[in-house]
Structures are given as structure tokens and as C-alpha cells.
Amino acid sequence: MGKIMAVDYGKKRCGIAVTDELQIIASGLQTVETVELFPFLTGYFAQNRVEAIVVGLPIDLKGNLSEIEQEISGFIEKFKLQFPEIEVYRFDERFTSKMASFFISQSGKNKKKREEKGLVDKVSATLILQNFLEQKQK
């Protein structure tokens, strides 16, 4: 069994989270500049067995897709061409950034660390992945 990876895709940065080999626990891995995402993924996949990725689905409160969905769709198309053996799932990412900010504020991190946008992206990816795992188990 391979890991599952989550990508919280953004215009500037992407938060990355992965599961353990048994696909039980989601852990934040890191934040990657969007322009460096494919080189990062290539390197990571060379070192780790990943069987699927979960990409956040940006839906607003009215149920509409946000503007970035067009870029995310382009990323997914390119991903499927470059890594056809890895399955791609989508998962609703509503409120993950707000929840990530809340959890970070409650963690006791200093103000500078709490305001670090990369940390929010990484925690958001972790929340997307953990929620995906919980729904998968049902």
C-alpha cells in the first residue's frame, strides 16, 4: 500500500500533506512554490510510493467553483499525463484555510509563525487529506 498525498493548490504556493504507508494519519509535509511543484513531485515520487493524490476542490458558500479552479484543472491534466499511474481525487476544501488558521493560533506558535502563509497552506493540505481519509473509511 502506498501513501496518499494532498495538494492544496494555490497561485503562489501549494501546501503538501501525506499519509503514512497504512493510510491512517495525515501529516503536513511542506509548502512548495507553485512553479516548483512538478520538480518537487517528481523527486518525491522517486523516493516514495504514492498511489493517489487528493486535490482541493475550491467551492464557495454558494456552491460555485472559485476562479482558481481553471488553474487547478490545468494542473490535474498535466499531472495525469506525467504520472498516469497515480490516481487523482478531488475533495471539497471549504473552510480549510480558516480552520488551519484557527488551529495554528491555538497551537501556541508565536505571532510571526502564525502569520506565515506557507504554514497555513501546509495545514490546509493536512486537513483536506484527513477529511478525505475519514470519508473514505465510511
Side-chain angles (χ1 to χ4, degrees):
M1 185 180 287
K3 297 177 181 184
I4 299 174
M5 174 183 279
V7 177
D8 181 26
Y9 190 92
K11 289 183 181 192
K12 294 181 181 180
R13 293 172 309 279
C14 298
I16 310 290
V18 293
T19 65
D20 56 302
E21 293 285 338
L22 297 175
Q23 300 178 2
I24 297 170
I25 298 170
S27 301
L29 184 62
Q30 70 183 75
T31 303
V32 178
E33 296 296 318
T34 301
V35 296
E36 295 295 322
L37 184 57
F38 275 97
F40 170 81
L41 294 173
T42 300
Y44 189 84
F45 296 157
Q47 301 290 321
N48 299 275
R49 185 169 179 274
V50 175
E51 68 180 48
I53 68 162
V54 180
V55 181
L57 184 63
I59 301 172
D60 67 19
L61 292 174
K62 295 179 181 177
N64 301 316
L65 291 171
S66 71
E67 292 176 22
I68 195 159
E69 176 58 24
Q70 194 168 25
E71 289 182 46
I72 295 171
S73 295
F75 159 72
I76 291 171
E77 285 178 32
K78 185 176 175 185
F79 182 91
K80 287 179 177 179
L81 289 173
Q82 195 162 338
F83 307 107
E85 70 285 357
I86 299 176
E87 198 160 351
V88 178
Y89 295 98
R90 301 298 305 274
F91 198 81
D92 186 348
E93 65 176 42
R94 271 182 280 200
F95 306 116
T96 55
S97 293
K98 284 189 181 356
M99 289 171 41
S101 295
F102 173 77
F103 290 139
I104 292 165
S105 73
Q106 297 300 304
S107 71
K109 301 253 187 245
N110 66 34
K111 185 174 182 184
K112 185 175 181 182
K113 192 71 172 168
R114 287 193 314 256
E115 292 174 350
E116 187 180 302
K117 289 183 171 35
L119 180 59
V120 172
D121 296 333
K122 182 170 67 171
V123 173
S124 293
T126 307
L127 291 169
I128 291 167
L129 186 53
Q130 191 63 50
N131 291 335
F132 174 81
L133 291 173
E134 289 169 7
Q135 186 167 331
K136 186 178 166 199
Q137 289 175 351
K138 290 180 183 176

Short mmCIF file of all heavy atoms in Angstrom, two decimals, residues 40-97:
data_model
loop_
_atom_site.label_atom_id
_atom_site.label_comp_id
_atom_site.label_asym_id
_atom_site.label_seq_id
_atom_site.Cartn_x
_atom_site.Cartn_y
_atom_site.Cartn_z
N PHE A 40 9.25 19.11 -7.57
CA PHE A 40 9.11 18.55 -6.22
C PHE A 40 8.43 17.19 -6.27
O PHE A 40 8.89 16.22 -5.67
CB PHE A 40 8.32 19.49 -5.31
CG PHE A 40 7.96 18.86 -4.01
CD1 PHE A 40 8.87 18.79 -2.96
CD2 PHE A 40 6.70 18.28 -3.83
CE1 PHE A 40 8.54 18.16 -1.76
CE2 PHE A 40 6.37 17.65 -2.64
CZ PHE A 40 7.29 17.59 -1.60
N LEU A 41 7.29 17.10 -6.99
CA LEU A 41 6.55 15.85 -7.07
C LEU A 41 7.39 14.74 -7.71
O LEU A 41 7.39 13.60 -7.22
CB LEU A 41 5.25 16.05 -7.87
CG LEU A 41 4.20 16.96 -7.22
CD1 LEU A 41 3.05 17.22 -8.19
CD2 LEU A 41 3.70 16.39 -5.91
N THR A 42 8.10 15.07 -8.76
CA THR A 42 8.95 14.08 -9.43
C THR A 42 9.97 13.51 -8.44
O THR A 42 10.15 12.29 -8.36
CB THR A 42 9.66 14.71 -10.64
OG1 THR A 42 8.67 15.19 -11.56
CG2 THR A 42 10.56 13.71 -11.35
N GLY A 43 10.62 14.37 -7.69
CA GLY A 43 11.59 13.92 -6.71
C GLY A 43 10.96 13.10 -5.59
O GLY A 43 11.49 12.07 -5.18
N TYR A 44 9.82 13.56 -5.11
CA TYR A 44 9.16 12.86 -4.01
C TYR A 44 8.69 11.47 -4.45
O TYR A 44 8.88 10.49 -3.73
CB TYR A 44 7.98 13.68 -3.47
CG TYR A 44 7.42 13.10 -2.21
CD1 TYR A 44 8.00 13.39 -0.97
CD2 TYR A 44 6.34 12.22 -2.23
CE1 TYR A 44 7.52 12.84 0.20
CE2 TYR A 44 5.86 11.65 -1.06
CZ TYR A 44 6.45 11.96 0.15
OH TYR A 44 5.97 11.41 1.32
N PHE A 45 8.09 11.40 -5.64
CA PHE A 45 7.59 10.11 -6.14
C PHE A 45 8.73 9.14 -6.42
O PHE A 45 8.55 7.92 -6.34
CB PHE A 45 6.73 10.30 -7.38
CG PHE A 45 5.46 11.08 -7.15
CD1 PHE A 45 4.84 11.72 -8.20
CD2 PHE A 45 4.90 11.20 -5.89
CE1 PHE A 45 3.67 12.45 -8.00
CE2 PHE A 45 3.73 11.93 -5.67
CZ PHE A 45 3.11 12.55 -6.74
N ALA A 46 9.91 9.64 -6.74
CA ALA A 46 11.07 8.77 -6.97
C ALA A 46 11.53 8.12 -5.67
O ALA A 46 12.07 7.01 -5.68
CB ALA A 46 12.21 9.57 -7.59
N GLN A 47 11.28 8.80 -4.55
CA GLN A 47 11.72 8.29 -3.24
C GLN A 47 10.63 7.60 -2.43
O GLN A 47 10.93 6.90 -1.47
CB GLN A 47 12.26 9.47 -2.40
CG GLN A 47 13.41 10.20 -3.03
CD GLN A 47 14.68 9.37 -3.04
OE1 GLN A 47 14.97 8.67 -2.08
NE2 GLN A 47 15.42 9.43 -4.13
N ASN A 48 9.36 7.82 -2.79
CA ASN A 48 8.22 7.32 -2.00
C ASN A 48 7.16 6.73 -2.92
O ASN A 48 6.91 7.25 -3.99
CB ASN A 48 7.59 8.47 -1.21
CG ASN A 48 8.55 9.10 -0.24
OD1 ASN A 48 8.72 8.64 0.88
ND2 ASN A 48 9.22 10.17 -0.66
N ARG A 49 6.51 5.67 -2.44
CA ARG A 49 5.42 5.07 -3.20
C ARG A 49 4.13 5.83 -2.86
O ARG A 49 3.66 5.77 -1.72
CB ARG A 49 5.27 3.60 -2.87
CG ARG A 49 4.23 2.92 -3.73
CD ARG A 49 4.29 1.40 -3.58
NE ARG A 49 3.27 0.82 -4.40
CZ ARG A 49 2.00 0.63 -4.01
NH1 ARG A 49 1.63 0.96 -2.79
NH2 ARG A 49 1.12 0.08 -4.82
N VAL A 50 3.59 6.54 -3.83
CA VAL A 50 2.35 7.29 -3.65
C VAL A 50 1.35 6.71 -4.63
O VAL A 50 1.61 6.66 -5.84
CB VAL A 50 2.56 8.80 -3.91
CG1 VAL A 50 1.24 9.56 -3.83
CG2 VAL A 50 3.56 9.37 -2.90
N GLU A 51 0.21 6.25 -4.14
CA GLU A 51 -0.77 5.64 -5.04
C GLU A 51 -1.87 6.58 -5.48
O GLU A 51 -2.54 6.33 -6.46
CB GLU A 51 -1.36 4.37 -4.41
CG GLU A 51 -2.22 4.59 -3.21
CD GLU A 51 -2.76 3.28 -2.66
OE1 GLU A 51 -1.97 2.33 -2.48
OE2 GLU A 51 -3.97 3.21 -2.40
N ALA A 52 -2.04 7.69 -4.75
CA ALA A 52 -3.11 8.64 -5.11
C ALA A 52 -2.77 10.02 -4.57
O ALA A 52 -2.02 10.15 -3.60
CB ALA A 52 -4.45 8.17 -4.55
N ILE A 53 -3.35 11.03 -5.22
CA ILE A 53 -3.30 12.38 -4.67
C ILE A 53 -4.73 12.90 -4.55
O ILE A 53 -5.62 12.48 -5.29
CB ILE A 53 -2.44 13.37 -5.49
CG1 ILE A 53 -3.07 13.68 -6.85
CG2 ILE A 53 -1.02 12.89 -5.63
CD1 ILE A 53 -2.51 14.93 -7.48
N VAL A 54 -4.90 13.77 -3.59
CA VAL A 54 -6.18 14.44 -3.37
C VAL A 54 -5.91 15.92 -3.59
O VAL A 54 -5.02 16.49 -2.97
CB VAL A 54 -6.70 14.21 -1.94
CG1 VAL A 54 -8.03 14.92 -1.73
CG2 VAL A 54 -6.82 12.73 -1.63
N VAL A 55 -6.67 16.50 -4.48
CA VAL A 55 -6.51 17.92 -4.79
C VAL A 55 -7.75 18.65 -4.30
O VAL A 55 -8.88 18.24 -4.59
CB VAL A 55 -6.31 18.14 -6.31
CG1 VAL A 55 -6.10 19.62 -6.62
CG2 VAL A 55 -5.13 17.32 -6.82
N GLY A 56 -7.54 19.73 -3.58
CA GLY A 56 -8.66 20.50 -3.05
C GLY A 56 -9.56 21.02 -4.15
O GLY A 56 -9.11 21.42 -5.22
N LEU A 57 -10.86 20.97 -3.88
CA LEU A 57 -11.88 21.49 -4.80
C LEU A 57 -12.40 22.79 -4.20
O LEU A 57 -13.09 22.78 -3.18
CB LEU A 57 -13.00 20.46 -4.95
CG LEU A 57 -14.12 20.77 -5.93
CD1 LEU A 57 -13.57 20.87 -7.35
CD2 LEU A 57 -15.19 19.68 -5.87
N PRO A 58 -12.06 23.94 -4.82
CA PRO A 58 -12.39 25.24 -4.24
C PRO A 58 -13.83 25.68 -4.55
O PRO A 58 -14.11 26.28 -5.57
CB PRO A 58 -11.38 26.17 -4.89
CG PRO A 58 -11.14 25.55 -6.24
CD PRO A 58 -11.27 24.07 -6.03
N ILE A 59 -14.72 25.38 -3.64
CA ILE A 59 -16.14 25.73 -3.80
C ILE A 59 -16.47 26.83 -2.79
O ILE A 59 -16.10 26.74 -1.63
CB ILE A 59 -17.03 24.50 -3.55
CG1 ILE A 59 -16.67 23.37 -4.52
CG2 ILE A 59 -18.50 24.86 -3.67
CD1 ILE A 59 -17.35 22.06 -4.22
N ASP A 60 -17.20 27.86 -3.26
CA ASP A 60 -17.59 28.93 -2.33
C ASP A 60 -18.87 28.55 -1.59
O ASP A 60 -19.43 27.47 -1.79
CB ASP A 60 -17.70 30.28 -3.05
CG ASP A 60 -18.85 30.34 -4.06
OD1 ASP A 60 -19.79 29.52 -3.99
OD2 ASP A 60 -18.81 31.24 -4.92
N LEU A 61 -19.33 29.44 -0.72
CA LEU A 61 -20.50 29.15 0.11
C LEU A 61 -21.78 28.93 -0.70
O LEU A 61 -22.70 28.27 -0.24
CB LEU A 61 -20.73 30.29 1.11
CG LEU A 61 -19.66 30.42 2.19
CD1 LEU A 61 -19.91 31.65 3.04
CD2 LEU A 61 -19.61 29.18 3.05
N LYS A 62 -21.82 29.48 -1.91
CA LYS A 62 -23.00 29.30 -2.77
C LYS A 62 -22.91 28.05 -3.63
O LYS A 62 -23.80 27.77 -4.42
CB LYS A 62 -23.18 30.53 -3.66
CG LYS A 62 -23.50 31.78 -2.88
CD LYS A 62 -23.66 32.97 -3.80
CE LYS A 62 -23.95 34.23 -2.98
NZ LYS A 62 -24.03 35.42 -3.83
N GLY A 63 -21.81 27.31 -3.50
CA GLY A 63 -21.64 26.09 -4.27
C GLY A 63 -21.00 26.29 -5.62
O GLY A 63 -20.95 25.36 -6.43
N ASN A 64 -20.47 27.48 -5.87
CA ASN A 64 -19.81 27.77 -7.15
C ASN A 64 -18.31 27.51 -7.03
O ASN A 64 -17.72 27.72 -5.98
CB ASN A 64 -20.03 29.23 -7.55
CG ASN A 64 -21.50 29.56 -7.69
OD1 ASN A 64 -22.27 28.80 -8.27
ND2 ASN A 64 -21.91 30.69 -7.14
N LEU A 65 -17.71 27.10 -8.14
CA LEU A 65 -16.26 26.92 -8.16
C LEU A 65 -15.59 28.29 -8.19
O LEU A 65 -16.05 29.20 -8.86
CB LEU A 65 -15.85 26.12 -9.40
CG LEU A 65 -16.28 24.66 -9.40
CD1 LEU A 65 -16.02 24.03 -10.76
CD2 LEU A 65 -15.55 23.88 -8.32
N SER A 66 -14.50 28.43 -7.46
CA SER A 66 -13.79 29.70 -7.45
C SER A 66 -12.91 29.83 -8.70
O SER A 66 -12.71 28.88 -9.44
CB SER A 66 -12.96 29.85 -6.18
OG SER A 66 -11.87 28.98 -6.20
N GLU A 67 -12.38 31.03 -8.89
CA GLU A 67 -11.59 31.36 -10.08
C GLU A 67 -10.39 30.43 -10.28
O GLU A 67 -10.03 30.12 -11.40
CB GLU A 67 -11.06 32.79 -9.98
CG GLU A 67 -12.13 33.84 -10.08
CD GLU A 67 -11.55 35.24 -9.87
OE1 GLU A 67 -10.33 35.42 -10.08
OE2 GLU A 67 -12.32 36.13 -9.50
N ILE A 68 -9.77 30.00 -9.21
CA ILE A 68 -8.54 29.21 -9.33
C ILE A 68 -8.80 27.80 -9.88
O ILE A 68 -7.87 27.10 -10.28
CB ILE A 68 -7.78 29.16 -7.99
CG1 ILE A 68 -6.36 28.67 -8.25
CG2 ILE A 68 -8.51 28.28 -6.99
CD1 ILE A 68 -5.36 29.01 -7.21
N GLU A 69 -10.06 27.40 -9.94
CA GLU A 69 -10.37 26.06 -10.43
C GLU A 69 -9.82 25.82 -11.84
O GLU A 69 -9.37 24.72 -12.15
CB GLU A 69 -11.88 25.79 -10.39
CG GLU A 69 -12.29 24.45 -10.97
CD GLU A 69 -11.66 23.22 -10.31
OE1 GLU A 69 -11.25 23.29 -9.14
OE2 GLU A 69 -11.58 22.18 -10.98
N GLN A 70 -9.82 26.83 -12.67
CA GLN A 70 -9.29 26.67 -14.02
C GLN A 70 -7.80 26.30 -13.98
O GLN A 70 -7.36 25.41 -14.71
CB GLN A 70 -9.50 27.97 -14.81
CG GLN A 70 -9.31 27.81 -16.29
CD GLN A 70 -9.81 29.04 -17.04
OE1 GLN A 70 -9.87 30.15 -16.50
NE2 GLN A 70 -10.17 28.85 -18.28
N GLU A 71 -7.04 26.95 -13.10
CA GLU A 71 -5.63 26.61 -12.95
C GLU A 71 -5.44 25.22 -12.35
O GLU A 71 -4.55 24.48 -12.76
CB GLU A 71 -4.92 27.65 -12.08
CG GLU A 71 -4.76 28.99 -12.77
CD GLU A 71 -4.02 29.99 -11.91
OE1 GLU A 71 -2.98 29.64 -11.33
OE2 GLU A 71 -4.50 31.14 -11.83
N ILE A 72 -6.30 24.87 -11.39
CA ILE A 72 -6.22 23.55 -10.78
C ILE A 72 -6.51 22.47 -11.82
O ILE A 72 -5.82 21.44 -11.88
CB ILE A 72 -7.18 23.43 -9.58
CG1 ILE A 72 -6.75 24.38 -8.46
CG2 ILE A 72 -7.25 22.00 -9.07
CD1 ILE A 72 -7.75 24.51 -7.32
N SER A 73 -7.50 22.69 -12.66
CA SER A 73 -7.83 21.73 -13.72
C SER A 73 -6.64 21.54 -14.66
O SER A 73 -6.35 20.41 -15.09
CB SER A 73 -9.05 22.19 -14.51
OG SER A 73 -10.20 22.19 -13.69
N GLY A 74 -5.96 22.63 -14.99
CA GLY A 74 -4.76 22.54 -15.82
C GLY A 74 -3.67 21.74 -15.14
O GLY A 74 -2.99 20.91 -15.78
N PHE A 75 -3.49 21.97 -13.84
CA PHE A 75 -2.51 21.20 -13.07
C PHE A 75 -2.85 19.71 -13.12
O PHE A 75 -1.98 18.87 -13.36
CB PHE A 75 -2.46 21.68 -11.62
CG PHE A 75 -1.88 20.68 -10.66
CD1 PHE A 75 -0.52 20.40 -10.68
CD2 PHE A 75 -2.70 20.00 -9.77
CE1 PHE A 75 0.01 19.45 -9.80
CE2 PHE A 75 -2.18 19.06 -8.91
CZ PHE A 75 -0.82 18.78 -8.92
N ILE A 76 -4.13 19.37 -12.91
CA ILE A 76 -4.54 17.96 -12.89
C ILE A 76 -4.32 17.30 -14.25
O ILE A 76 -3.84 16.16 -14.32
CB ILE A 76 -6.00 17.83 -12.42
CG1 ILE A 76 -6.08 18.20 -10.94
CG2 ILE A 76 -6.54 16.43 -12.66
CD1 ILE A 76 -7.49 18.33 -10.39
N GLU A 77 -4.65 18.00 -15.32
CA GLU A 77 -4.42 17.44 -16.67
C GLU A 77 -2.94 17.13 -16.88
O GLU A 77 -2.58 16.05 -17.35
CB GLU A 77 -4.90 18.42 -17.74
CG GLU A 77 -6.41 18.48 -17.88
CD GLU A 77 -6.85 19.51 -18.92
OE1 GLU A 77 -6.11 19.72 -19.91
OE2 GLU A 77 -7.93 20.09 -18.73
N LYS A 78 -2.09 18.08 -16.53
CA LYS A 78 -0.64 17.88 -16.68
C LYS A 78 -0.16 16.75 -15.76
O LYS A 78 0.66 15.93 -16.15
CB LYS A 78 0.09 19.19 -16.36
CG LYS A 78 1.58 19.13 -16.60
CD LYS A 78 2.22 20.48 -16.36
CE LYS A 78 3.75 20.37 -16.47
NZ LYS A 78 4.43 21.62 -16.14
N PHE A 79 -0.70 16.70 -14.54
CA PHE A 79 -0.32 15.66 -13.58
C PHE A 79 -0.65 14.28 -14.14
O PHE A 79 0.17 13.36 -14.08
CB PHE A 79 -1.05 15.88 -12.25
CG PHE A 79 -0.67 14.88 -11.21
CD1 PHE A 79 0.38 15.14 -10.34
CD2 PHE A 79 -1.34 13.66 -11.10
CE1 PHE A 79 0.75 14.20 -9.37
CE2 PHE A 79 -0.97 12.73 -10.15
CZ PHE A 79 0.08 13.00 -9.28
N LYS A 80 -1.86 14.11 -14.68
CA LYS A 80 -2.28 12.82 -15.22
C LYS A 80 -1.41 12.37 -16.38
O LYS A 80 -1.15 11.18 -16.55
CB LYS A 80 -3.75 12.87 -15.64
CG LYS A 80 -4.71 12.90 -14.47
CD LYS A 80 -6.15 12.97 -14.94
CE LYS A 80 -7.12 12.92 -13.78
NZ LYS A 80 -8.52 13.01 -14.24
N LEU A 81 -0.93 13.32 -17.19
CA LEU A 81 -0.03 12.99 -18.29
C LEU A 81 1.34 12.57 -17.77
O LEU A 81 1.94 11.62 -18.27
CB LEU A 81 0.12 14.17 -19.25
CG LEU A 81 -1.09 14.51 -20.10
CD1 LEU A 81 -0.85 15.80 -20.88
CD2 LEU A 81 -1.40 13.37 -21.07
N GLN A 82 1.83 13.27 -16.77
CA GLN A 82 3.17 13.00 -16.25
C GLN A 82 3.21 11.80 -15.30
O GLN A 82 4.21 11.09 -15.26
CB GLN A 82 3.70 14.24 -15.54
CG GLN A 82 5.19 14.18 -15.29
CD GLN A 82 5.77 15.56 -14.99
OE1 GLN A 82 5.21 16.59 -15.34
NE2 GLN A 82 6.92 15.57 -14.36
N PHE A 83 2.11 11.58 -14.56
CA PHE A 83 2.08 10.49 -13.57
C PHE A 83 0.80 9.66 -13.76
O PHE A 83 -0.06 9.64 -12.87
CB PHE A 83 2.14 11.05 -12.15
CG PHE A 83 3.28 11.98 -11.89
CD1 PHE A 83 3.06 13.35 -11.76
CD2 PHE A 83 4.58 11.52 -11.79
CE1 PHE A 83 4.11 14.22 -11.52
CE2 PHE A 83 5.64 12.39 -11.56
CZ PHE A 83 5.41 13.74 -11.42
N PRO A 84 0.64 8.97 -14.89
CA PRO A 84 -0.62 8.27 -15.17
C PRO A 84 -0.95 7.13 -14.20
O PRO A 84 -2.12 6.75 -14.07
CB PRO A 84 -0.42 7.74 -16.60
CG PRO A 84 1.06 7.68 -16.77
CD PRO A 84 1.62 8.80 -15.95
N GLU A 85 0.04 6.63 -13.49
CA GLU A 85 -0.18 5.52 -12.57
C GLU A 85 -0.74 5.97 -11.21
O GLU A 85 -1.15 5.15 -10.39
CB GLU A 85 1.11 4.72 -12.36
CG GLU A 85 2.20 5.45 -11.58
CD GLU A 85 2.96 6.56 -12.33
OE1 GLU A 85 2.73 6.79 -13.53
OE2 GLU A 85 3.80 7.20 -11.68
N ILE A 86 -0.78 7.27 -10.97
CA ILE A 86 -1.25 7.80 -9.69
C ILE A 86 -2.67 8.32 -9.85
O ILE A 86 -2.94 9.17 -10.69
CB ILE A 86 -0.31 8.91 -9.16
CG1 ILE A 86 1.10 8.32 -8.94
CG2 ILE A 86 -0.86 9.52 -7.88
CD1 ILE A 86 2.14 9.33 -8.52
N GLU A 87 -3.57 7.78 -9.05
CA GLU A 87 -4.97 8.18 -9.12
C GLU A 87 -5.16 9.58 -8.53
O GLU A 87 -4.48 9.96 -7.58
CB GLU A 87 -5.82 7.18 -8.34
CG GLU A 87 -7.26 7.23 -8.69
CD GLU A 87 -8.00 5.96 -8.30
OE1 GLU A 87 -7.37 4.97 -7.91
OE2 GLU A 87 -9.23 6.00 -8.37
N VAL A 88 -6.09 10.34 -9.10
CA VAL A 88 -6.37 11.70 -8.65
C VAL A 88 -7.80 11.79 -8.13
O VAL A 88 -8.74 11.37 -8.80
CB VAL A 88 -6.18 12.73 -9.79
CG1 VAL A 88 -6.53 14.14 -9.31
CG2 VAL A 88 -4.77 12.68 -10.34
N TYR A 89 -7.93 12.29 -6.90
CA TYR A 89 -9.24 12.53 -6.30
C TYR A 89 -9.39 14.02 -6.05
O TYR A 89 -8.41 14.73 -5.87
CB TYR A 89 -9.38 11.81 -4.95
CG TYR A 89 -9.34 10.31 -5.05
CD1 TYR A 89 -8.16 9.60 -4.81
CD2 TYR A 89 -10.49 9.59 -5.36
CE1 TYR A 89 -8.12 8.23 -4.89
CE2 TYR A 89 -10.45 8.21 -5.44
CZ TYR A 89 -9.27 7.54 -5.20
OH TYR A 89 -9.24 6.17 -5.29
N ARG A 90 -10.61 14.48 -6.01
CA ARG A 90 -10.92 15.86 -5.63
C ARG A 90 -11.66 15.82 -4.30
O ARG A 90 -12.43 14.90 -4.04
CB ARG A 90 -11.80 16.55 -6.69
CG ARG A 90 -11.23 16.61 -8.09
CD ARG A 90 -9.93 17.40 -8.20
NE ARG A 90 -9.95 18.75 -7.72
CZ ARG A 90 -10.33 19.82 -8.42
NH1 ARG A 90 -10.73 19.68 -9.66
NH2 ARG A 90 -10.29 21.02 -7.89
N PHE A 91 -11.45 16.85 -3.47
CA PHE A 91 -12.14 16.91 -2.19
C PHE A 91 -12.43 18.36 -1.83
O PHE A 91 -11.56 19.22 -1.96
CB PHE A 91 -11.31 16.24 -1.09
CG PHE A 91 -12.11 15.90 0.12
CD1 PHE A 91 -12.89 14.76 0.15
CD2 PHE A 91 -12.12 16.73 1.23
CE1 PHE A 91 -13.65 14.44 1.26
CE2 PHE A 91 -12.88 16.43 2.33
CZ PHE A 91 -13.65 15.28 2.36
N ASP A 92 -13.65 18.61 -1.42
CA ASP A 92 -14.11 19.95 -1.04
C ASP A 92 -13.18 20.55 0.01
O ASP A 92 -12.96 19.97 1.06
CB ASP A 92 -15.54 19.83 -0.50
CG ASP A 92 -16.19 21.16 -0.21
OD1 ASP A 92 -15.51 22.20 -0.20
OD2 ASP A 92 -17.42 21.16 0.02
N GLU A 93 -12.65 21.73 -0.30
CA GLU A 93 -11.72 22.37 0.62
C GLU A 93 -12.31 23.57 1.34
O GLU A 93 -11.59 24.36 1.95
CB GLU A 93 -10.45 22.79 -0.12
CG GLU A 93 -10.66 23.86 -1.16
CD GLU A 93 -9.37 24.33 -1.80
OE1 GLU A 93 -8.51 23.50 -2.11
OE2 GLU A 93 -9.23 25.54 -1.99
N ARG A 94 -13.64 23.70 1.32
CA ARG A 94 -14.26 24.84 2.01
C ARG A 94 -13.84 24.89 3.46
O ARG A 94 -13.80 23.88 4.14
CB ARG A 94 -15.79 24.72 1.95
CG ARG A 94 -16.39 25.36 0.74
CD ARG A 94 -17.87 25.25 0.78
NE ARG A 94 -18.24 23.90 0.34
CZ ARG A 94 -19.44 23.56 -0.11
NH1 ARG A 94 -20.40 24.44 -0.15
NH2 ARG A 94 -19.68 22.34 -0.49
N PHE A 95 -13.51 26.06 3.90
CA PHE A 95 -13.17 26.38 5.29
C PHE A 95 -11.82 25.84 5.76
O PHE A 95 -11.44 26.06 6.90
CB PHE A 95 -14.26 25.89 6.27
CG PHE A 95 -15.63 26.40 5.95
CD1 PHE A 95 -16.64 25.51 5.58
CD2 PHE A 95 -15.92 27.75 5.95
CE1 PHE A 95 -17.90 25.96 5.27
CE2 PHE A 95 -17.19 28.20 5.64
CZ PHE A 95 -18.19 27.30 5.30
N THR A 96 -11.08 25.12 4.91
CA THR A 96 -9.82 24.55 5.41
C THR A 96 -8.82 25.64 5.79
O THR A 96 -8.12 25.48 6.79
CB THR A 96 -9.18 23.56 4.41
OG1 THR A 96 -9.02 24.21 3.15
CG2 THR A 96 -10.02 22.31 4.25
N SER A 97 -8.74 26.73 5.04
CA SER A 97 -7.79 27.79 5.39
C SER A 97 -8.17 28.46 6.70
O SER A 97 -7.32 28.74 7.55
CB SER A 97 -7.70 28.85 4.28
OG SER A 97 -7.12 28.29 3.14
#
